[in-house]
Structure formats: C-alpha cells, structure tokens
Amino acid sequence: MVKRTLHFSNPAHLSFQNAQLLIELKDELRTCKTIPIEDIGVVILEHPQITLSMKVLDALIKANVAIVSCDDHYMPSGIFLPLEGHHTQTERIRNQLNASEPLKKQLWQQTIKIKIANQAKVLDKIGLNGARLMEHSQKVKSGDSGNLEAQAAAFYWNQLYGSDFFRSRNRSSPNAQLNYGYSILRSLVARALSASGMYPSVGIHHRNKYNAFCLADDMMEPYRPFVDWMVLNLNYPEEEAGLTKDQKMELLTIPQMDVQITDLKRPLFHAVSLTTASLYKCFAGEIRKVSFPNFE
C-alpha cells in the first residue's frame, strides 16, 4: 500500500486517538476527520495556525512519518524524522560511517550515471535529442572526477528552458515548482533512509557541514528527472508567475508516480525504499550496486 501524503493549508488542530490521526478543522463547523496513522507517509504543515499535540507528534514519528514544516512563503523548510528508524540502527550507522572512499566514489559514479541517463530520457520523451547526455552517462568515472554531472546539467536545463534559464531558489516559474517538488522528494528519501537505519546527514558525496540531509541529497539525484517531468506537464496559468495551489496539489502526487525499478513498475514511494535498502547492502558489503529507477 502506498502511504498517504497529507497537506494542511488551512488552520487545524491535529491530535491522536485510538491509533488515528484526529483532524479538527478550525472552521465554523469545527469539522473533524480521522485517518489511520499507519496509512500516512508524509505530513506537510503549511498554515501558521496549525497546532498539534505531543502525543500525535510521537505517534507520527514512531510510524516513521516524515513531517514537513513550511515557511512564511509556503515552501518546505524543515523535516522531522525519528531518531530510531531501524532495530539494528547502531550497526547500520557504523557500517555507513566505515564505508571506504573507493566504495563511496563507486556509489557516486553509479548515482550520476543513472541521473544523467534519466535526464537524457526526459529530453527524448519531449522530442529533444538526449543522445549527448546518454554519451555523458557512459563516461562518468569513479567519483565523477570529470564533473560530468555539472556539464550534463548545463546542457539539460538549456534544452528544457532556454539559455537564459538557471536553477535557483527564487519563487518564479519554473524554479518555484521544481523546488517544491524536490522538497517533497527529499522528504521521501530522508524518510526511507531513516527506515533503512542510516543517518541522512552523512553523505557519499555531499559534505556541506550546514546540510543535515547530505545522504538524502545524494540518493535523490536519479529521481530528480521524474519531478522535472511532472513540472514540465503542469498547467501554467498566464496570470500566475509562481507556484499555484493547483500545482501544489499535483506535485503532492509525486509519491504515487509509477517508476521502473528492478524490472518492475512501482510507486515512487516504494521505489525510494528499495534504493535505500540496496544502499545499505552496499555499505554492508553484501552487494555492489544500488537499485535506482529508470525513466521510461
């Protein structure tokens, strides 16, 4: 079963009762709804007048729900994850921390190869020529020492949005839509890493000391083209310059997107868990290749 993504954009109070999330809307009717905690994967808290009890926060954390808070501009700004996501977490984190540099470079090579290949397939799917990126993907060396990821990105964004476009954190289209979609994706990956018993802060490539989700940023790279594809297919009202409510609702379906992984089509929510589980097996020396999705 695909876990549900709950998005709260209106005043509400969240509490816990009989293994259910009790939602009390702060409207005139004081509308109440209940949802089984076990059905929830991600909760996005957007409105400043949302309150919740410590009991429900504890219940969500124990169920390994990723809780995402938003800032004054309604963009995701924080993620809450459990400290104990797996029953053998200490052993798993130890294996993660003891991973050798050659292993991490090989894992990063795999990650970038599939990311660039997926970008190439996005271009092909919209009628552009992805052959150049596919060639790049075959030339990625250990640790991406040739920085082909950056070269591919420059070509990719140029093809998608023109030579004047550059990726940034600004709130104009399509950056606003991309940033929102990537934030959802990041929370899904961070949740899966925690469930797999790994520490999201310690990456195989990303090492920014101010970034608490370096490993999540590493592992989400091959999934980014799926978000790019969804953003390309959003409806853009001419009078709107930034992210609209309808676009948010569409982007919240990212966990339900079908992706091809391990020769099967699975919802992205489940595919991410397969990726993180295989990553740990690489850290443990059980296998040598991470399971990543292929854009089709």
Side-chain angles (χ1 to χ4, degrees):
M1 180 185 73
V2 179
K3 300 280 189 175
R4 296 178 63 175
T5 299
L6 304 183
H7 174 255
F8 296 95
S9 59
N10 293 308
H13 177 68
L14 311 181
S15 57
F16 179 74
Q17 184 176 15
N18 299 325
Q20 305 272 322
L21 173 65
L22 177 61
I23 305 165
E24 300 175 73
L25 300 181
K26 297 178 181 179
D27 55 15
E28 292 183 359
L29 300 177
R30 305 299 292 185
T31 308
C32 292
K33 301 178 182 179
T34 59
I35 299 173
I37 292 286
E38 64 181 2
D39 291 350
I40 306 170
V42 180
V43 172
I44 300 176
L45 307 175
E46 185 178 280
H47 200 280
Q49 294 182 34
I50 294 171
T51 57
L52 66 164
S53 68
M54 284 301 298
K55 193 170 183 179
V56 75
L57 183 60
D58 181 58
L60 292 170
I61 289 297
K62 286 179 177 177
N64 198 33
V65 176
I67 306 167
V68 181
S69 61
C70 297
D71 60 20
D72 292 342
H73 300 291
Y74 310 107
M75 293 297 290
S77 60
I79 307 172
F80 299 87
L81 295 169
L83 286 175
E84 297 180 7
H86 194 277
H87 63 281
T88 61
Q89 182 162 311
T90 300
E91 178 186 31
R92 287 172 172 253
I93 291 178
R94 185 182 298 115
N95 285 331
Q96 176 188 353
L97 295 177
N98 290 338
S100 67
E101 282 302 315
L103 173 60
K104 288 189 283 188
K105 288 182 178 180
Q106 291 166 16
L107 294 175
W108 187 241
Q109 178 187 26
Q110 295 177 31
T111 303
I112 296 308
K113 285 185 70 172
I114 190 65
K115 176 188 179 180
I116 296 175
N118 284 344
Q119 288 176 327
K121 292 174 184 176
V122 169
L123 294 184
D124 287 337
K125 196 162 184 175
I126 61 176
L128 300 174
N129 190 351
R132 178 173 171 179
L133 290 187
M134 198 59 74
E135 290 178 6
H136 279 339
S137 73
Q138 299 304 315
K139 296 177 181 178
V140 178
K141 298 179 181 179
S142 178
D144 188 23
S145 57
N147 200 22
L148 285 173
E149 180 191 18
Q151 296 179 46
F155 179 79
Y156 176 69
W157 295 118
N158 183 285
Q159 292 292 298
L160 288 182
Y161 296 114
S163 58
D164 293 334
F165 175 79
F166 65 94
R167 281 286 296 124
S168 73
R169 302 297 301 175
N170 69 47
R171 296 190 294 276
S172 61
S173 300
N175 275 310
Q177 291 77 9
L178 290 167
N179 293 335
Y180 194 82
Y182 291 156
S183 294
I184 295 169
L185 176 60
R186 193 188 200 206
S187 67
L188 293 173
V189 176
R191 175 195 175 277
L193 286 168
S194 178
S196 295
M198 288 174 286
Y199 196 47
S201 296
V202 182
I204 58 173
H205 177 76
H206 288 89
R207 291 181 172 84
N208 189 330
K209 67 179 181 180
Y210 303 109
N211 182 2
F213 297 98
C214 289
L215 189 58
D217 290 342
D218 288 334
M219 290 297 101
M220 69 183 277
E221 294 292 355
Y223 286 91
R224 287 179 182 267
F226 293 91
V227 176
D228 302 342
W229 171 252
M230 180 175 281
V231 170
L232 284 167
N233 288 278
L234 291 175
N235 181 40
Y236 289 85
E238 291 185 6
E239 68 276 9
E240 297 285 352
L243 183 65
T244 68
K245 183 177 180 180
D246 287 343
Q247 290 169 347
K248 285 183 183 179
M249 294 301 103
E250 186 68 24
L251 290 168
L252 288 172
T253 67
I254 287 171
Q256 286 79 47
M257 290 180 71
D258 283 335
V259 303
Q260 190 81 18
I261 188 169
T262 63
D263 298 325
L264 293 171
K265 275 197 173 181
R266 300 176 184 271
L268 187 145
F269 184 93
H270 293 319
V272 167
S273 294
L274 291 175
T275 294
T276 59
S278 65
L279 173 65
Y280 173 71
K281 289 182 179 180
C282 290
F283 286 148
E286 299 174 18
I287 60 176
R288 299 181 61 85
K289 190 174 182 180
V290 180
S291 296
F292 283 125
N294 291 296
F295 187 90
E296 299 292 342

Coordinates of all heavy atoms in Angstrom, one line a residue, residues 29-114:
L29 N -17.8 25.1 11.3 CA -18.4 23.9 11.7 C -17.6 23.0 12.6 O -18.0 22.0 13.1 CB -18.8 23.1 10.4 CG -19.8 23.8 9.4 CD1 -20.0 22.9 8.2 CD2 -21.1 24.0 10.1
R30 N -16.3 23.4 12.8 CA -15.4 22.6 13.6 C -15.3 21.2 13.1 O -15.4 20.2 13.8 CB -15.7 22.6 15.0 CG -15.8 24.0 15.7 CD -14.5 24.8 15.6 NE -13.5 24.2 16.4 CZ -12.3 24.8 16.6 NH1 -12.0 25.9 15.9 NH2 -11.4 24.2 17.3
T31 N -15.2 21.0 11.7 CA -15.2 19.7 11.1 C -14.1 18.8 11.6 O -13.0 19.3 11.8 CB -15.0 19.9 9.6 OG1 -16.0 20.9 9.1 CG2 -15.2 18.6 8.8
C32 N -14.5 17.5 11.9 CA -13.5 16.6 12.4 C -13.4 15.4 11.4 O -14.4 14.9 10.8 CB -13.9 16.0 13.7 SG -13.8 17.3 15.0
K33 N -12.1 14.9 11.2 CA -11.9 13.8 10.4 C -10.8 12.9 11.1 O -10.1 13.4 11.9 CB -11.3 14.2 9.0 CG -12.3 15.1 8.2 CD -11.6 15.5 6.9 CE -12.5 16.4 6.1 NZ -11.9 16.8 4.8
T34 N -10.8 11.6 10.7 CA -9.8 10.7 11.3 C -9.2 9.9 10.2 O -9.8 9.5 9.2 CB -10.4 9.7 12.3 OG1 -11.5 8.9 11.7 CG2 -11.0 10.5 13.5
I35 N -7.9 9.6 10.3 CA -7.1 8.9 9.3 C -6.2 7.9 10.1 O -5.5 8.4 11.1 CB -6.3 9.8 8.4 CG1 -7.2 10.7 7.6 CG2 -5.4 8.9 7.5 CD1 -6.4 11.7 6.8
P36 N -6.2 6.6 9.8 CA -5.3 5.7 10.5 C -3.8 6.2 10.4 O -3.3 6.5 9.3 CB -5.5 4.4 9.8 CG -6.9 4.5 9.2 CD -7.0 5.9 8.8
I37 N -3.1 6.2 11.5 CA -1.7 6.6 11.4 C -0.9 5.7 10.5 O 0.0 6.2 9.8 CB -1.1 6.6 12.9 CG1 -1.7 7.6 13.8 CG2 0.4 6.7 12.9 CD1 -1.3 9.1 13.5
E38 N -1.2 4.4 10.5 CA -0.4 3.5 9.7 C -0.5 3.7 8.2 O 0.3 3.2 7.4 CB -0.8 2.1 10.0 CG -2.3 1.7 9.6 CD -2.7 0.3 10.0 OE1 -1.8 -0.4 10.6 OE2 -3.8 -0.1 9.7
D39 N -1.5 4.5 7.8 CA -1.7 4.8 6.4 C -0.9 6.0 5.9 O -1.0 6.4 4.7 CB -3.2 5.1 6.1 CG -4.1 3.8 6.2 OD1 -3.5 2.7 6.3 OD2 -5.3 3.9 6.2
I40 N -0.3 6.7 6.8 CA 0.3 8.0 6.5 C 1.8 7.9 6.3 O 2.5 7.2 7.0 CB 0.1 9.0 7.6 CG1 -1.4 9.2 7.9 CG2 0.7 10.4 7.3 CD1 -1.7 10.0 9.2
G41 N 2.4 8.5 5.2 CA 3.8 8.5 4.9 C 4.4 9.9 5.1 O 5.6 10.0 5.6
V42 N 3.7 10.9 4.7 CA 4.2 12.3 4.8 C 3.1 13.2 5.2 O 2.0 13.1 4.8 CB 4.8 12.8 3.4 CG1 5.3 14.2 3.5 CG2 5.9 11.8 2.9
V43 N 3.5 14.1 6.1 CA 2.5 15.2 6.6 C 3.2 16.5 6.3 O 4.3 16.8 6.7 CB 2.2 15.1 8.1 CG1 1.4 16.3 8.5 CG2 1.4 13.8 8.3
I44 N 2.5 17.4 5.5 CA 3.1 18.7 5.2 C 2.2 19.8 5.9 O 1.0 19.9 5.7 CB 3.0 18.9 3.7 CG1 3.9 17.9 3.0 CG2 3.5 20.3 3.3 CD1 3.9 18.0 1.5
L45 N 2.9 20.5 6.8 CA 2.2 21.5 7.6 C 2.5 22.9 7.0 O 3.6 23.4 7.1 CB 2.7 21.5 9.0 CG 2.6 20.1 9.7 CD1 3.2 20.1 11.1 CD2 1.1 19.6 9.8
E46 N 1.5 23.5 6.4 CA 1.8 24.8 5.6 C 1.3 26.0 6.3 O 1.9 27.1 6.2 CB 1.2 24.6 4.2 CG 1.5 25.8 3.3 CD 0.9 25.6 1.9 OE1 1.5 24.9 1.1 OE2 -0.2 26.1 1.7
H47 N 0.1 25.9 7.0 CA -0.5 27.1 7.6 C 0.1 27.4 8.9 O 0.3 26.5 9.8 CB -2.0 26.9 7.7 CG -2.8 28.1 7.8 ND1 -3.0 28.8 9.0 CD2 -3.5 28.8 6.9 CE1 -3.7 29.9 8.8 NE2 -4.0 29.9 7.5
P48 N 0.3 28.7 9.2 CA 0.9 29.1 10.5 C 0.0 28.8 11.7 O 0.4 28.8 12.9 CB 1.2 30.6 10.4 CG 0.3 31.0 9.3 CD 0.1 29.9 8.3
Q49 N -1.3 28.6 11.5 CA -2.3 28.4 12.6 C -2.6 26.9 12.7 O -3.7 26.5 13.1 CB -3.5 29.2 12.4 CG -3.3 30.7 12.5 CD -4.6 31.5 12.3 OE1 -5.7 31.0 12.7 NE2 -4.5 32.6 11.7
I50 N -1.7 26.0 12.4 CA -1.8 24.6 12.7 C -1.2 24.3 14.0 O -0.1 24.7 14.3 CB -1.1 23.8 11.6 CG1 -1.9 24.0 10.2 CG2 -1.1 22.3 11.9 CD1 -1.1 23.4 9.0
T51 N -1.9 23.6 14.9 CA -1.4 23.1 16.1 C -1.5 21.6 16.2 O -2.3 21.0 15.6 CB -2.1 23.8 17.3 OG1 -3.5 23.4 17.2 CG2 -2.0 25.3 17.3
L52 N -0.6 21.0 17.0 CA -0.6 19.6 17.2 C -0.2 19.2 18.6 O 0.6 19.9 19.2 CB 0.2 18.9 16.1 CG 1.7 19.0 16.0 CD1 2.3 17.9 15.2 CD2 2.1 20.4 15.5
S53 N -0.7 18.1 19.0 CA -0.3 17.6 20.4 C 1.0 16.8 20.3 O 1.4 16.3 19.3 CB -1.4 16.7 20.9 OG -1.5 15.5 20.2
M54 N 1.7 16.8 21.4 CA 2.9 16.0 21.5 C 2.6 14.5 21.3 O 3.5 13.8 20.8 CB 3.6 16.2 22.9 CG 4.3 17.5 23.0 SD 5.6 17.7 21.8 CE 6.7 16.4 22.2
K55 N 1.4 14.1 21.7 CA 1.1 12.7 21.5 C 1.0 12.3 20.1 O 1.5 11.2 19.7 CB -0.2 12.4 22.3 CG -0.5 10.9 22.4 CD -1.7 10.7 23.3 CE -2.0 9.2 23.6 NZ -3.1 8.9 24.5
V56 N 0.4 13.2 19.3 CA 0.3 12.9 17.8 C 1.7 13.0 17.2 O 2.0 12.2 16.3 CB -0.7 13.8 17.1 CG1 -0.2 15.2 16.9 CG2 -1.1 13.2 15.8
L57 N 2.5 13.9 17.6 CA 3.8 14.0 17.1 C 4.6 12.7 17.3 O 5.3 12.2 16.5 CB 4.6 15.2 17.7 CG 6.0 15.5 17.2 CD1 5.9 15.8 15.7 CD2 6.6 16.7 17.9
D58 N 4.5 12.2 18.6 CA 5.2 11.0 18.9 C 4.7 9.8 18.1 O 5.4 9.0 17.7 CB 5.0 10.7 20.4 CG 5.7 9.5 20.9 OD1 6.9 9.4 20.7 OD2 5.0 8.6 21.4
A59 N 3.3 9.8 17.9 CA 2.7 8.7 17.1 C 3.2 8.7 15.7 O 3.5 7.6 15.1 CB 1.2 8.7 17.2
L60 N 3.3 9.9 15.1 CA 3.7 10.0 13.7 C 5.2 9.6 13.6 O 5.6 8.9 12.6 CB 3.5 11.4 13.2 CG 2.1 11.9 13.1 CD1 2.0 13.4 12.8 CD2 1.4 11.1 11.9
I61 N 6.0 10.0 14.5 CA 7.4 9.7 14.5 C 7.6 8.2 14.6 O 8.4 7.6 13.9 CB 8.2 10.5 15.6 CG1 8.3 12.0 15.3 CG2 9.6 9.9 15.8 CD1 9.1 12.3 14.0
K62 N 6.9 7.6 15.6 CA 7.0 6.1 15.7 C 6.6 5.3 14.5 O 7.0 4.2 14.3 CB 6.2 5.7 17.0 CG 6.9 6.1 18.3 CD 6.0 5.6 19.5 CE 6.7 6.0 20.8 NZ 5.8 5.6 22.0
A63 N 5.7 5.9 13.7 CA 5.2 5.3 12.5 C 6.1 5.6 11.3 O 5.8 5.3 10.2 CB 3.8 5.7 12.2
N64 N 7.2 6.3 11.6 CA 8.2 6.7 10.6 C 7.6 7.6 9.5 O 7.8 7.5 8.3 CB 8.8 5.5 9.9 CG 10.1 5.9 9.2 OD1 10.9 6.8 9.6 ND2 10.4 5.2 8.1
V65 N 6.7 8.5 9.9 CA 6.1 9.5 9.1 C 7.1 10.7 9.0 O 7.6 11.2 10.0 CB 4.7 10.0 9.6 CG1 4.2 11.1 8.7 CG2 3.8 8.8 9.7
A66 N 7.3 11.2 7.8 CA 8.1 12.4 7.6 C 7.2 13.6 7.7 O 6.2 13.7 7.0 CB 8.7 12.4 6.2
I67 N 7.5 14.5 8.7 CA 6.7 15.6 9.0 C 7.4 16.9 8.4 O 8.6 17.2 8.8 CB 6.5 15.8 10.5 CG1 5.9 14.5 11.0 CG2 5.6 17.0 10.7 CD1 5.9 14.4 12.5
V68 N 6.8 17.5 7.5 CA 7.5 18.6 6.8 C 6.8 20.0 7.2 O 5.6 20.1 7.1 CB 7.4 18.5 5.2 CG1 8.0 19.6 4.5 CG2 8.0 17.1 4.8
S69 N 7.6 20.9 7.7 CA 7.0 22.2 8.0 C 7.4 23.2 6.9 O 8.4 23.1 6.2 CB 7.6 22.7 9.3 OG 9.0 22.8 9.2
C70 N 6.5 24.2 6.7 CA 6.7 25.2 5.7 C 7.0 26.6 6.3 O 6.6 26.9 7.4 CB 5.5 25.3 4.7 SG 5.2 23.7 3.9
D71 N 7.6 27.4 5.5 CA 8.0 28.8 5.9 C 6.9 29.8 5.6 O 5.8 29.4 5.2 CB 9.3 29.2 5.3 CG 9.3 29.3 3.8 OD1 8.2 29.3 3.2 OD2 10.4 29.2 3.2
D72 N 7.2 31.1 5.8 CA 6.2 32.1 5.5 C 5.8 32.2 4.0 O 4.7 32.8 3.7 CB 6.7 33.5 6.0 CG 6.9 33.6 7.5 OD1 6.3 32.8 8.2 OD2 7.6 34.5 7.9
H73 N 6.6 31.6 3.2 CA 6.3 31.7 1.7 C 5.7 30.3 1.3 O 5.6 30.1 0.1 CB 7.5 32.0 0.9 CG 8.2 33.3 1.2 ND1 7.6 34.5 0.9 CD2 9.3 33.6 1.9 CE1 8.3 35.5 1.4 NE2 9.4 35.0 1.9
Y74 N 5.3 29.5 2.3 CA 4.6 28.2 2.0 C 5.5 27.2 1.3 O 5.0 26.3 0.6 CB 3.3 28.4 1.2 CG 2.4 29.5 1.8 CD1 2.3 30.8 1.2 CD2 1.7 29.2 3.0 CE1 1.5 31.7 1.8 CE2 1.0 30.2 3.6 CZ 0.8 31.4 3.0 OH 0.1 32.4 3.6
M75 N 6.8 27.4 1.4 CA 7.8 26.4 0.9 C 8.3 25.5 2.0 O 8.6 26.0 3.1 CB 8.9 27.2 0.2 CG 8.5 27.9 -1.1 SD 7.9 26.8 -2.4 CE 9.4 26.0 -2.8
P76 N 8.5 24.2 1.8 CA 9.0 23.3 2.8 C 10.4 23.9 3.3 O 11.3 24.3 2.6 CB 9.2 22.0 2.0 CG 8.2 22.1 1.0 CD 8.1 23.5 0.5
S77 N 10.5 23.9 4.7 CA 11.7 24.5 5.3 C 12.3 23.5 6.3 O 13.4 23.7 6.7 CB 11.3 25.8 6.0 OG 10.4 25.6 7.0
G78 N 11.6 22.5 6.7 CA 12.1 21.6 7.7 C 11.5 20.2 7.7 O 10.4 20.0 7.2
I79 N 12.3 19.2 8.1 CA 11.8 17.8 8.1 C 12.0 17.2 9.5 O 13.1 17.3 10.0 CB 12.5 16.9 7.0 CG1 12.5 17.6 5.7 CG2 11.9 15.5 7.0 CD1 13.3 16.9 4.6
F80 N 11.0 16.5 10.0 CA 11.2 15.8 11.3 C 11.2 14.3 11.0 O 10.3 13.8 10.3 CB 10.0 16.2 12.2 CG 9.9 17.6 12.6 CD1 9.2 18.5 11.8 CD2 10.5 18.1 13.8 CE1 9.1 19.8 12.1 CE2 10.4 19.4 14.1 CZ 9.7 20.3 13.3
L81 N 12.2 13.7 11.6 CA 12.4 12.2 11.3 C 12.7 11.5 12.7 O 13.2 12.2 13.6 CB 13.5 12.0 10.4 CG 13.4 12.4 8.9 CD1 14.7 12.3 8.2 CD2 12.3 11.6 8.2
P82 N 12.4 10.2 12.8 CA 12.7 9.5 14.0 C 14.2 9.3 14.2 O 15.0 9.2 13.3 CB 12.0 8.1 13.8 CG 12.0 8.0 12.3 CD 11.7 9.4 11.8
L83 N 14.6 9.4 15.5 CA 16.0 9.1 15.9 C 16.3 7.6 15.7 O 17.4 7.2 15.4 CB 16.3 9.6 17.3 CG 16.4 11.1 17.5 CD1 16.6 11.4 19.0 CD2 17.6 11.7 16.7
E84 N 15.3 6.8 16.0 CA 15.5 5.3 15.8 C 14.5 4.8 14.7 O 13.4 4.6 15.0 CB 15.2 4.6 17.2 CG 16.1 5.1 18.3 CD 15.8 4.3 19.6 OE1 14.9 3.4 19.6 OE2 16.4 4.7 20.6
G85 N 15.1 4.6 13.5 CA 14.3 4.2 12.4 C 14.4 2.7 12.1 O 13.6 2.2 11.3
H86 N 15.3 2.0 12.8 CA 15.5 0.6 12.5 C 16.0 -0.1 13.7 O 16.8 0.5 14.5 CB 16.5 0.4 11.3 CG 16.6 -0.9 10.7 ND1 17.3 -2.0 11.3 CD2 16.0 -1.4 9.6 CE1 17.1 -3.0 10.5 NE2 16.3 -2.8 9.5
H87 N 15.7 -1.4 13.9 CA 16.0 -2.1 15.1 C 17.5 -2.4 15.3 O 18.0 -2.7 16.3 CB 15.2 -3.4 15.3 CG 15.5 -4.4 14.2 ND1 14.9 -4.3 13.0 CD2 16.2 -5.5 14.3 CE1 15.3 -5.4 12.3 NE2 16.1 -6.1 13.0
T88 N 18.2 -2.4 14.1 CA 19.7 -2.6 14.2 C 20.4 -1.3 13.7 O 21.4 -1.4 13.1 CB 20.1 -3.8 13.3 OG1 19.8 -3.5 11.9 CG2 19.5 -5.1 13.8
Q89 N 19.9 -0.2 14.1 CA 20.4 1.1 13.6 C 21.8 1.4 14.0 O 22.6 1.9 13.1 CB 19.5 2.2 14.2 CG 19.9 3.6 13.6 CD 18.8 4.6 13.8 OE1 17.6 4.4 13.5 NE2 19.1 5.8 14.4
T90 N 22.3 1.0 15.2 CA 23.7 1.3 15.5 C 24.6 0.6 14.6 O 25.6 1.2 14.1 CB 23.9 0.9 17.0 OG1 23.0 1.6 17.9 CG2 25.3 1.1 17.4
E91 N 24.4 -0.7 14.3 CA 25.2 -1.5 13.4 C 25.2 -0.9 12.0 O 26.2 -0.8 11.4 CB 24.7 -2.9 13.4 CG 25.6 -3.8 12.4 CD 25.0 -5.2 12.3 OE1 23.7 -5.3 12.4 OE2 25.8 -6.1 12.1
R92 N 24.0 -0.5 11.6 CA 23.9 0.1 10.2 C 24.6 1.4 10.1 O 25.3 1.6 9.1 CB 22.4 0.2 9.9 CG 21.8 -1.2 9.6 CD 20.3 -1.1 9.4 NE 19.8 -2.5 9.0 CZ 19.4 -2.7 7.8 NH1 19.3 -1.8 6.9 NH2 19.0 -4.0 7.5
I93 N 24.5 2.3 11.1 CA 25.2 3.5 11.0 C 26.7 3.3 11.1 O 27.5 4.0 10.4 CB 24.7 4.5 12.1 CG1 23.3 4.9 11.9 CG2 25.6 5.7 12.2 CD1 22.7 5.8 12.9
R94 N 27.1 2.3 11.9 CA 28.6 2.0 11.9 C 29.1 1.6 10.5 O 30.1 2.0 10.1 CB 28.8 0.9 12.9 CG 30.3 0.6 13.2 CD 30.5 -0.5 14.2 NE 30.0 -0.1 15.5 CZ 29.0 -0.7 16.1 NH1 28.4 -1.7 15.5 NH2 28.6 -0.3 17.3
N95 N 28.3 0.7 9.8 CA 28.7 0.3 8.5 C 28.7 1.5 7.5 O 29.6 1.6 6.7 CB 27.8 -0.8 8.0 CG 28.1 -2.1 8.6 OD1 29.2 -2.4 9.0 ND2 27.1 -3.0 8.7
Q96 N 27.7 2.4 7.7 CA 27.7 3.6 6.8 C 28.9 4.4 7.1 O 29.6 4.9 6.1 CB 26.4 4.4 7.1 CG 26.3 5.7 6.4 CD 25.1 6.5 6.9 OE1 24.3 6.0 7.7 NE2 25.0 7.7 6.4
L97 N 29.3 4.7 8.3 CA 30.4 5.5 8.6 C 31.7 4.9 8.3 O 32.7 5.6 7.9 CB 30.4 5.9 10.1 CG 29.2 6.7 10.7 CD1 29.3 6.8 12.2 CD2 29.1 8.0 10.0
N98 N 31.8 3.6 8.2 CA 33.0 2.9 7.9 C 33.2 2.6 6.4 O 34.2 2.0 6.0 CB 33.1 1.6 8.7 CG 33.3 1.7 10.2 OD1 33.8 2.8 10.6 ND2 33.0 0.7 11.0
A99 N 32.3 3.1 5.6 CA 32.4 2.9 4.2 C 33.7 3.6 3.7 O 34.0 4.7 4.0 CB 31.2 3.5 3.5
S100 N 34.4 2.8 2.8 CA 35.7 3.3 2.3 C 35.5 4.4 1.3 O 34.4 4.5 0.6 CB 36.5 2.2 1.7 OG 35.9 1.7 0.6
E101 N 36.5 5.2 1.0 CA 36.4 6.3 0.0 C 36.2 5.7 -1.4 O 35.4 6.2 -2.2 CB 37.6 7.2 0.0 CG 37.6 8.2 1.2 CD 36.4 9.1 1.1 OE1 36.1 9.6 0.0 OE2 35.7 9.3 2.1
P102 N 37.0 4.6 -1.7 CA 36.7 4.0 -3.1 C 35.3 3.5 -3.2 O 34.7 3.7 -4.3 CB 37.7 2.8 -3.1 CG 38.8 3.2 -2.2 CD 38.1 4.0 -1.1
L103 N 34.7 2.9 -2.2 CA 33.3 2.5 -2.3 C 32.4 3.7 -2.5 O 31.5 3.6 -3.4 CB 32.9 1.7 -1.0 CG 31.4 1.4 -0.9 CD1 31.0 0.5 -2.1 CD2 31.0 0.7 0.4
K104 N 32.6 4.7 -1.7 CA 31.7 5.9 -1.9 C 31.8 6.5 -3.3 O 30.9 7.0 -3.9 CB 32.0 6.9 -0.8 CG 31.5 6.5 0.6 CD 31.7 7.6 1.6 CE 33.1 7.8 2.1 NZ 33.1 8.7 3.3
K105 N 33.0 6.5 -3.8 CA 33.3 7.1 -5.2 C 32.6 6.2 -6.2 O 32.0 6.7 -7.2 CB 34.7 7.2 -5.5 CG 35.4 8.3 -4.7 CD 36.9 8.4 -5.1 CE 37.6 9.6 -4.4 NZ 39.0 9.7 -4.7
Q106 N 32.6 4.9 -6.0 CA 31.9 4.0 -6.9 C 30.4 4.2 -6.9 O 29.7 4.2 -7.9 CB 32.3 2.5 -6.6 CG 33.7 2.2 -7.0 CD 34.1 0.8 -6.3 OE1 33.3 0.0 -5.9 NE2 35.4 0.6 -6.3
L107 N 29.9 4.4 -5.7 CA 28.5 4.6 -5.5 C 28.0 5.9 -6.1 O 26.9 6.0 -6.7 CB 28.1 4.6 -4.0 CG 28.3 3.2 -3.3 CD1 28.0 3.4 -1.8 CD2 27.3 2.2 -3.8
W108 N 28.9 6.9 -6.0 CA 28.5 8.2 -6.6 C 28.6 8.1 -8.1 O 27.8 8.7 -8.8 CB 29.5 9.3 -6.1 CG 29.1 10.7 -6.6 CD1 29.9 11.5 -7.4 CD2 27.9 11.4 -6.3 NE1 29.2 12.7 -7.6 CE2 28.0 12.6 -7.0 CE3 26.8 11.1 -5.6 CZ2 27.0 13.6 -6.9 CZ3 25.8 12.0 -5.5 CH2 25.9 13.2 -6.2
Q109 N 29.5 7.3 -8.7 CA 29.6 7.1 -10.1 C 28.3 6.5 -10.6 O 27.7 6.9 -11.6 CB 30.7 6.1 -10.4 CG 30.9 5.8 -11.9 CD 31.9 4.7 -12.2 OE1 32.3 3.9 -11.3 NE2 32.5 4.7 -13.4
Q110 N 27.8 5.4 -9.9 CA 26.5 4.8 -10.2 C 25.4 5.8 -10.2 O 24.5 5.8 -11.1 CB 26.2 3.7 -9.3 CG 27.1 2.5 -9.3 CD 26.8 1.5 -8.2 OE1 25.6 1.3 -7.9 NE2 27.8 0.8 -7.7
T111 N 25.4 6.6 -9.2 CA 24.3 7.6 -9.0 C 24.2 8.6 -10.1 O 23.1 8.9 -10.7 CB 24.5 8.4 -7.6 OG1 24.6 7.4 -6.6 CG2 23.4 9.3 -7.4
I112 N 25.4 9.1 -10.5 CA 25.4 10.2 -11.5 C 25.1 9.6 -12.9 O 24.5 10.2 -13.8 CB 26.7 10.9 -11.5 CG1 26.9 11.7 -10.2 CG2 26.9 11.9 -12.7 CD1 25.7 12.5 -9.8
K113 N 25.6 8.3 -13.2 CA 25.4 7.7 -14.4 C 23.9 7.6 -14.7 O 23.4 7.9 -15.8 CB 26.0 6.3 -14.5 CG 27.5 6.3 -14.7 CD 28.1 4.9 -14.8 CE 27.7 4.3 -16.1 NZ 28.4 3.0 -16.4
I114 N 23.1 7.1 -13.7 CA 21.7 6.9 -13.9 C 21.0 8.2 -13.9 O 20.0 8.4 -14.6 CB 21.1 5.9 -12.9 CG1 19.7 5.5 -13.2 CG2 21.2 6.5 -11.5 CD1 19.6 4.7 -14.5

